[in-house]
Amino acid sequence: MTTRTAVQRGPDRLPPARFAFDGQTWKEIAHLLINLPVSLIGFVYVVTVLFTGGLLSVTVIGLPVLALGLAGARLLGRWERGRARRMLGVRIDEPSPLPRRGDGLMARVWNGLKDPVGWRTVLYEFIRLPWGVFTFAVTLVSLFVLWPVLPFIARALTNADRAMVRGLLSPSDELERRIAELESDRGVVIDTAAADLRRIERDLHDGAQARLVNLAMGLGLAKEKLLDGQADDTVAAMVDEAHGEVKLALQELRDLARGIHPAILTDRGLDAALSSVASRCTVPVKVTVDLAERPAPAVEGIAYFTVSELLQNVSKHSGARTATVDVWRADTRLLVQVGDDGHGGANLDGGTGLAGLTERLGAVDGLFVVDSPEGGPTTVTAEVPWRDRDRA
């Protein structure tokens, strides 16, 4: 079974047109009849906006009026996309919001005037009026004269509608899609950072902090006994217990620091750090790191924690006898591959932390692929952008 971080959408699948009037056919007929009043409203709006903005462009308020009109055209486009989804079954995403560049009024006006989504919607509404008149007339006449073949006529006309919606109202610009992806990834990064901070706070509060509190109380009692002249075996036992608490607190603090960023990764790089992680795995792990140079610290950290999480899954869930870790560079990408000979069946919904890794790698423009058929073996490949260390 192969699982990827992104699922690409296929073409819209509609029931075939038939000589029967099913639910989809009636939706298409209704869409074609509504085309006339809707296109009339849109045509009047865009003509009014263009005429008013152009006429007033010789004055101070002309360009702001035109920018506001384009913003209103965006709303018309959103309504048309919603109508196409509900009545035509068109799967279409919303364009990204208009980015804000600059704080001044003129900067916002100029930004609105350059909005490609608004201008494409204006073009869409401008050419829709003759098409709306045509589809309304053909559909209305066919309801009474050509009703046996009306489902086929409606499908042909609505296919043209679908093409216009996809061509002019969809977020076809690659930059718009990229902006939407980055906005989603930013939310994932913020949520991940907040979760990590809560984990560190919880570990400090429940672990080292509690031990240090017990240590302070034990040393306080020992001090009181010493001040009272009770230097007996009880005081020695209390000091010995406090010494044990100190060692445990130090160990927990070292483990916590290793969980934030291990010192061995900073000092010696991925090869030594991953070998250290592999030595703690419950199955033998062969580590191969083929890198001519070290990547940026952030890239090293992502690779380290990805391997650490995957080897924990190998220990807990795989039932494997051996495992492998391979790290190498391919052009501008760093690839990490972890494999095991376990029973397989790993997936993103299995509660093994793979979904979290998918989100974290996706937030840094990475890829995460799981190949784990039932019966094994399992191969997990992670890919992140390479960044040079001296440019980080």
Side-chain angles (χ1 to χ4, degrees):
M1 178 185 65
T2 301
T3 305
R4 294 182 179 270
T5 59
V7 178
Q8 296 184 352
R9 294 179 175 178
D12 302 328
R13 293 184 179 180
L14 298 170
R18 300 178 300 171
F19 285 102
F21 285 69
D22 55 11
Q24 183 59 43
T25 299
W26 283 116
K27 286 183 179 180
E28 293 175 350
I29 293 172
H31 177 87
L32 294 172
L33 293 175
I34 296 173
N35 269 349
L36 177 58
V38 170
S39 60
L40 182 61
I41 294 173
F43 181 83
V44 171
Y45 176 83
V46 297
V47 169
T48 302
V49 166
L50 293 177
F51 178 78
T52 305
L55 188 64
L56 296 177
S57 60
V58 295
T59 67
V60 179
I61 63 173
L63 294 181
V65 167
L66 187 57
L68 287 175
L70 291 174
R74 264 183 171 258
L75 297 179
L76 285 177
R78 179 184 301 177
W79 192 87
E80 287 285 359
R81 283 187 293 272
R83 186 165 72 103
R85 291 191 199 99
R86 290 188 298 270
M87 306 188 76
L88 301 183
V90 177
R91 290 180 290 180
I92 182 172
D93 295 327
E94 289 293 327
S96 58
L98 184 65
R100 298 186 61 180
R101 299 186 179 94
D103 297 328
L105 176 61
M106 291 307 300
R108 291 197 293 270
V109 169
W110 183 245
N111 193 31
L113 291 175
K114 296 189 299 180
D115 180 19
V117 176
W119 283 112
R120 290 206 308 267
T121 306
V122 167
L123 178 60
Y124 175 86
E125 298 292 351
F126 190 79
I127 66 177
R128 287 282 292 179
L129 181 58
W131 177 251
V133 173
F134 175 75
T135 57
F136 177 84
V138 170
T139 306
L140 190 61
V141 171
S142 299
L143 274 173
F144 298 98
V145 179
L146 301 174
W147 61 266
V149 294
L150 181 55
F152 299 94
I153 297 174
R155 178 58 55 85
L157 295 176
T158 53
N159 280 340
D161 272 316
R162 293 182 181 94
M164 280 190 281
V165 170
R166 293 193 189 99
L168 293 175
L169 298 183
S170 64
S172 56
D173 188 0
E174 182 64 27
L175 178 60
E176 292 179 10
R177 289 197 295 267
R178 185 61 179 156
I179 289 173
E181 291 175 2
L182 291 176
E183 288 178 346
S184 175
D185 292 344
R186 180 180 61 183
V188 172
V189 170
I190 292 173
D191 293 341
T192 301
D196 288 339
L197 288 175
R198 289 194 298 270
R199 177 183 59 82
I200 294 171
E201 180 185 12
R202 183 179 63 252
D203 291 344
L204 285 173
H205 182 271
D206 298 340
Q209 179 178 333
R211 293 194 180 277
L212 291 174
V213 170
N214 292 333
L215 171 63
M217 294 176 60
L219 290 177
L221 292 174
K223 178 181 178 181
E224 291 180 359
K225 289 183 177 295
L226 286 174
L227 292 177
D228 293 340
Q230 300 178 15
D232 52 12
D233 293 341
T234 303
V235 175
M238 295 176 67
V239 172
D240 184 64
E241 182 181 355
H243 183 248
E245 290 286 340
V246 168
K247 291 192 291 184
L248 290 174
L250 288 175
Q251 181 62 42
E252 289 183 354
L253 288 173
R254 279 194 293 267
D255 292 340
L256 181 60
R258 186 184 297 115
I260 298 173
H261 195 84
I264 189 173
L265 179 61
T266 302
D267 298 337
R268 300 173 57 188
L270 270 175
D271 196 352
L274 295 182
S275 298
S276 175
V277 172
S279 66
R280 299 194 295 270
C281 188
T282 58
V283 301
V285 181
K286 180 182 178 182
V287 178
T288 303
V289 179
D290 183 14
L291 296 176
E293 57 181 328
R294 294 178 62 179
V299 177
E300 277 190 338
I302 292 171
Y304 172 85
F305 287 110
T306 299
V307 173
S308 178
E309 180 73 21
L310 291 174
L311 288 182
Q312 288 183 29
N313 287 342
V314 171
S315 298
K316 296 178 181 178
H317 308 291
S318 70
R321 295 185 300 273
T322 60
T324 59
V325 175
D326 295 285
V327 181
W328 71 98
R329 178 182 179 181
D331 296 329
T332 59
R333 312 288 284 184
L334 177 69
L335 286 91
V336 176
Q337 192 170 79
V338 177
D340 66 73
D341 58 358
H343 51 65
N347 59 77
L348 300 182
D349 302 324
T352 56
L354 297 182
L357 287 176
T358 300
E359 292 181 351
R360 293 191 180 205
L361 289 172
V364 294
D365 201 21
L367 292 176
F368 190 76
V369 180
V370 179
D371 184 12
S372 183
E374 292 293 340
T378 296
T379 302
V380 181
T381 304
E383 179 182 328
V384 293
W386 176 277
R387 289 174 55 201
D388 293 331
R389 197 173 189 84
D390 56 353
R391 297 174 60 186

